[in-house]
Amino acid sequence: MEQVERVEDFDPPFETIEPVHLASPLIFSSPHSGSAYPQRFLDASRLDPLTLRRSEDAFVDELFLPCVAVGAPLLRALFPRAYLDLNREPYELDPQIFQGRLPEFANTRSLRVAVGLGTIPRVVGDAQPIYRGPIPVAEGLRRIETLYQPYHAQLKALVERARGWFGVAVLLDCHSMPSNAADVSGFDIVLGDRYGASAAPGVVDILEASLKSAGYVVRRNKPFAGGFITEHFGVPADGVHAVQIEIARALYLDERKIVRTERWPALQEDLLAAARALALEFGGNPRADRLAAE
């Protein structure tokens, strides 16, 4: 009988770290920093654990953890990106890795699927195939239903809570970029706002100014303008701004060993300063009607 991973393999699959007092419309999301690998998944992979881990945004959740102090929650996945990618459409599926027929509603023709980086990835970032053989379609759909959908439901709830309390929500989707990624040479941080479609210019201006003042080389939208989370949640006209933050791993990580370097504390402090600048701009004052109801 074939073994399949279960939601129980992740206890829990993600977590929300809440501030002592909700005092800011900011929400931090770290969808790619999970490092809990089920043994069944490792057994099904042709890759060793260290190679699989190179697809992680390793320790990004911990980089941003001090930002909870501005009065904002942080949502982080604990399962790995190689197992399920939360920054994709829910059913962006690659027929090459599945045994059985995919449902008609699956998007099998996206550019991300074409390179093996769909919702259930076929390869890790340097194009190395993950699986020894095909996995059942039912297993892929189960991952989406039990992991992807609940994470996105929780992220939506946090966004709606912020908008209800403060009249606005600012979602910061937190990622890291490998030093060998295309077109990132010479840049420390890339801020993606879908070329202005997912956030008002002033939101990115504040982040960029704070990070540049700390000495970082910052770029907007190239080569990372924002993935599905930024595109899906960012609707400035509705009071929801979403920005993807990509941090060069060389700033804080030994990419070969996946261990933190001595530059880690300074980067943490600088990210916290940027979060504080953004929180200060938005005031952090709950709406009077909400306070009256409490």
Side-chain angles (χ1 to χ4, degrees):
M1 182 176 179
E2 184 170 8
Q3 290 184 317
V4 297
E5 295 85 16
R6 304 159 301 186
V7 70
E8 292 82 3
D9 289 314
F10 307 101
D11 186 24
F14 57 85
E15 64 178 345
T16 305
I17 300 170
E18 293 279 12
V20 175
H21 301 290
L22 186 64
S24 168
L26 276 59
I27 305 105
F28 296 89
S29 170
S30 183
H32 289 165
S33 55
S35 58
Y37 290 80
Q39 188 59 49
R40 295 178 183 85
F41 175 64
L42 294 174
D43 292 343
S45 175
R46 64 176 66 197
L47 302 176
D48 63 88
L50 185 60
T51 301
L52 286 171
R53 288 205 66 197
R54 293 194 177 111
S55 69
E56 290 175 22
D57 289 342
F59 308 118
V60 162
D61 55 337
E62 296 181 38
L63 269 179
F64 284 89
L65 188 57
C67 296
V68 174
V70 305
L74 183 148
L75 175 63
R76 60 181 176 185
L78 302 181
F79 54 86
R81 177 187 191 181
Y83 184 76
L84 175 76
D85 195 332
L86 292 159
N87 202 24
R88 300 290 182 261
E89 298 173 21
Y91 295 99
E92 207 165 350
L93 300 176
D94 188 340
Q96 294 187 54
I97 64 171
F98 291 106
Q99 182 181 55
R101 186 174 180 178
L102 289 170
E104 293 294 328
F105 55 78
N107 179 357
T108 62
R109 298 179 179 272
S110 77
L111 291 176
R112 292 177 288 211
V113 166
V115 297
L117 297 173
T119 314
I120 310 291
R122 173 168 49 86
V123 302
V124 292
D126 51 0
Q128 296 187 66
I130 294 173
Y131 295 97
R132 298 179 185 275
I135 63 174
V137 167
E139 167 60 20
L141 297 178
R142 188 203 59 80
R143 293 183 197 178
I144 293 166
E145 291 164 3
T146 60
L147 300 173
Y148 182 104
Q149 302 288 14
Y151 185 95
H152 276 261
Q154 175 66 357
L155 187 53
K156 180 180 179 181
L158 293 173
V159 168
E160 289 302 316
R161 183 181 71 175
R163 187 166 62 168
W165 272 68
F166 302 101
V168 65
V170 182
L171 171 61
L172 301 177
D173 197 40
C174 308
H175 299 264
S176 66
M177 52 190 182
S179 57
N180 62 354
D183 301 325
V184 301
S185 179
F187 295 97
D188 296 321
I189 296 174
V190 177
L191 302 175
D193 65 353
R194 308 293 298 180
Y195 294 92
S198 69
V203 174
V204 187
D205 290 343
I206 294 165
L207 291 171
E208 184 175 33
S210 179
L211 293 166
K212 281 186 172 180
S213 70
Y216 298 99
V217 181
V218 183
R219 190 180 193 182
R220 295 196 191 193
N221 291 312
K222 293 182 180 180
F224 305 110
F228 176 77
I229 288 174
T230 308
E231 180 181 12
H232 179 70
F233 283 96
V235 186
D238 291 343
V240 181
H241 307 273
V243 179
Q244 180 172 289
I245 303 177
E246 292 275 358
I247 300 169
R249 292 176 189 168
L251 287 177
Y252 71 94
L253 191 70
D254 180 327
E255 295 178 78
R256 185 175 61 86
K257 298 178 181 179
I258 312 184
V259 294
R260 287 168 282 199
T261 66
E262 68 280 357
R263 300 178 69 185
W264 167 273
L267 179 58
Q268 264 193 327
E269 291 178 9
D270 295 334
L271 292 171
L272 176 56
R276 282 178 172 153
L278 194 57
L280 182 64
E281 178 67 20
F282 281 92
N285 294 315
R287 289 170 51 170
D289 57 348
R290 176 66 187 184
L291 286 174
E294 288 295 305

